[in-house]
Amino acid sequence: IVRFYNALTQPVSSAFRLGRPAAAAWRANLNEENEAALPVQNNVIPVQARGKEIVTVRVRLEPAPLIEDFTRHPARILPQLLPLADIGSTETPPLLTEREVAAEEERAVQLAAALQAIRSEAYLLQADTERRAAPDLAQLALLQRLKGREATLARQHYEAQISALLNRQLLVTRQMEKNLDKIGESLNWARVRKRVGEFLIHYYEGLLDAKP
């Protein structure tokens, strides 16, 4: 299972390469159930994601052959990597902000309202269709189109709910980690000051005891 998160608001298209041969790949839902097959060429799998979307890819790898004779497979020494100073560093933006989380939660609310509206429209149309003596083919076709749109909105609504909950959990977790790091640093300094104070107490008391 390979999972991606598009931190941008606009859709993106990309691809990733596997380190082992892949037999097949599928786009999957968050329950890791296959939804659509993905092409695999030279172990490269394309990925598309809407803004703020979580993408799950399920891959079936080719069986790896067992190494029977380890003497034929000596360890390889990797080339020396460049120091970080030579590569340079850039300030990366925060992975997630409160504004982005609130926007995703608002999107879930808007999708819920749209879903409720189309369900009400489909319910009224179905009730009207059932009251007729003879079925109206145009109404039946419209009803099926509404049900199709309702299913699409339901999927988008549930995905937005999951995304909003995961984003909120991630944001809260990162905030807690930041606060814990800050408290932990202060705690360590407090312990150091206590140890230094105890050492100085013993030092000066020893000098007092040594005075004639």
Side-chain angles (χ1 to χ4, degrees):
I1 296 297
V2 186
R3 213 181 304 274
F4 301 91
Y5 171 67
N6 180 12
L8 305 176
T9 56
Q10 65 267 23
V12 296
S13 298
S14 187
F16 67 97
R17 183 188 300 275
L18 296 171
R20 286 179 49 190
W26 300 267
R27 176 83 176 236
N29 56 27
L30 290 176
N31 290 328
E32 300 177 1
E33 300 165 337
N34 296 346
E35 290 185 338
L38 294 175
V40 182
Q41 187 173 7
N42 297 327
N43 295 334
V44 176
I45 301 173
V47 178
Q48 295 182 346
R50 299 190 303 272
K52 301 298 182 181
E53 183 184 17
I54 299 173
V55 176
T56 302
V57 178
R58 189 181 186 94
V59 182
R60 187 174 73 240
L61 300 175
E62 294 283 0
L66 296 177
I67 299 177
E68 297 179 356
D69 186 0
F70 286 93
T71 61
R72 298 182 183 178
H73 300 273
R76 298 177 181 177
I77 300 177
L78 297 177
Q80 183 177 3
L81 300 178
L82 291 176
L84 291 178
D86 295 340
I87 298 175
S89 61
T90 57
E91 181 109 6
T92 57
L95 179 63
L96 201 59
T97 65
E98 177 65 37
R99 183 176 180 180
E100 290 175 333
V101 174
E104 189 69 2
E105 292 171 343
E106 177 61 26
R107 187 172 76 93
V109 171
Q110 292 175 356
L111 284 170
L115 180 61
Q116 183 60 40
I118 199 170
R119 281 176 174 172
S120 299
E121 185 179 355
Y123 174 80
L124 293 175
L125 182 59
Q126 183 168 356
D128 182 63
T129 302
E130 292 174 351
R131 284 195 298 266
R132 294 176 179 269
D136 187 330
L137 295 182
Q139 276 193 329
L140 290 176
L142 176 59
L143 179 61
Q144 294 308 312
R145 282 197 294 269
L146 287 176
K147 288 184 176 181
R149 288 170 54 193
E150 185 271 339
T152 300
L153 274 175
R155 177 182 61 81
Q156 293 175 347
H157 169 57
Y158 297 138
E159 288 177 349
Q161 278 189 313
I162 293 173
S163 176
L165 288 172
L166 291 176
N167 285 345
R168 175 62 64 182
Q169 182 185 36
L170 178 60
L171 182 65
V172 171
T173 300
R174 290 188 174 275
Q175 289 174 343
M176 290 179 62
E177 290 175 348
K178 184 177 180 180
N179 291 335
L180 286 172
D181 288 342
K182 185 177 180 180
I183 295 172
E185 184 178 355
S186 300
L187 175 60
N188 287 334
W189 278 115
R191 288 173 173 169
V192 170
R193 290 196 301 271
K194 184 177 187 307
R195 292 290 182 264
V196 171
E198 292 174 347
F199 172 80
L200 291 175
I201 289 173
H202 292 306
Y203 173 74
Y204 289 121
E205 287 180 347
L207 291 178
L208 289 173
D209 293 340
K211 288 182 67 175

